[in-house]
Amino acid sequence: MHEYVNKREYKRESCQALDLADELAPLRDAFHLPEKVIYLDGNSLGARPKAALARAQEVVAQEWGQDLIRSWNKAGWFDLPARLGDKLAPLVGAKAGEIVVTDSTSINLFKVLAGALQMQANQAATANRLVIVTERSNFPTDIYMAEGLTAWLDRGYRLRLVDAPEELPAAIDKDVALVMLTHINYRTGYQHDMRATSALAHAQGALIVWDLAHSAGAVPVDLHADGADFAVGCTYKYLNGGPGAPAFAWIPGRHQETFRQPLSGWWGHATPFAMAPQFAPTAGIRRALCGTQPIASLALVECGLEVFARTSMQAIRAKSLALTDLFIALLESRCAGHPLNIVTPREHERRGSQVSVAHPHGYAVMQALIARGVIGDYREPEIMRFGFTPLYTRFVDVWDAVDILKDILDNKKYDVTEQRVAVT
Ligand SMILES: *Cc1c(COP(=O)(O)O)cnc(C)c1O
């Protein structure tokens, strides 16, 4: 992989040259991107693969419209969650038969947390452990799901919230049943060391659950090599599966036999069409399923995954770091003097595929950017998030985005009285 960015060159032409030399550049054509928009929010909702429109048409008109109920077998609807899981597996270092694409991240987290806690409760050595370690800065739904599950179980579980990654070694002790972490923080873009943290958990006899919402399709992940126990993640962010597309759950082969989850719907049954009055979990990853899947939405996930099959996570990562390095360098050179605070770590290993920038009027500045066609988003407190998705973001987009931001800041072209909208 060649060096993308010469940090001393800050010219639009040099960005154009980088685009010409970019081996991923042809993949941009696989996406529909609106005119006059620089889309830097693929970390929240990925862009639409062009193929998704034809696929939606096929699912609705042919598979549903013409083939009707026969499509469960004929079009492979029934197998779709596991078949998509196998396509996603190489992106996160999973094996075939270990992932299902299903439900939402929140719901998959519920199932995985419940299964993991039960595994610990069933073992004499860990049965008395009642602590779940996570971060206060974790995405709220992850904390809420753990709160909801443990309150419901009513066995005395409690959450131990750490305020910084450095506190994890002390927080993970012999009382801990489970460590639940989001690999890349949604707000700051901080990336945990999955291998070191998983080893910390295991050294104390705890299990570790990783949320890959901002990792899958964004950075190389190697779940097996890094010693993860369970993982969940999102398909509508970097994987470009479509708004509200089903999420995924990873149960490694070594845990599948002991893994049981409480949403024991008929899709997780060994013989769903035997219509037995008692639940018996099926062997393998399908036991992580609950009920009938949203086929139209699920089918579109494949269109995003097919783009990833044309490249490698190593190539994606190299370009991602080049894009984020360029953005940071341009902010520092062209927007110096403005109260911008880059909260995303500078070290490559600690960074995801976004750059988060705090500004006292972050919300108003982001609204001004969006009005000029530079779409990022805003997260409390004060943080403007810029996501860089190497499949369709060009180096020249980075240049132009900073150019517009510079104009907005230099000339105070933002309205501090801007009213908040429902989704920021
Ligand atoms: C985006 C995201 C979610 C979203 O969960 P949903 O159930 O899809 O709403 C959950 N956790 C993390 C860490 C996220 O970044």
Side-chain angles (χ1 to χ4, degrees), residues 61-114:
Q62 180 63 38
E63 296 179 7
W64 177 19
Q66 287 301 119
D67 298 334
L68 290 162
I69 193 83
R70 290 169 291 190
S71 284
W72 285 108
N73 296 313
K74 188 177 164 196
W77 285 357
F78 189 68
D79 293 327
L80 204 48
R83 196 166 65 73
L84 293 177
D86 287 350
K87 281 204 164 176
L88 203 163
L91 302 184
V92 294
K95 295 181 182 145
E98 294 186 334
I99 293 183
V100 274
V101 178
T102 183
D103 298 333
S104 65
T105 302
S106 304
I107 291 174
N108 286 330
L109 204 48
F110 182 89
K111 293 184 288 191
V112 160
L113 292 178

Side-chain angles (χ1 to χ4, degrees), residues 104-107 138-139 141-142 182 186 211 213-214 234 236-237:
S104 65
T105 302
S106 304
I107 291 174
N138 200 343
F139 192 89
T141 205
D142 296 45
T182 295
Y186 76 100
D211 187 329
H214 287 270
C234 204
Y236 57 74
K237 294 173 180 165

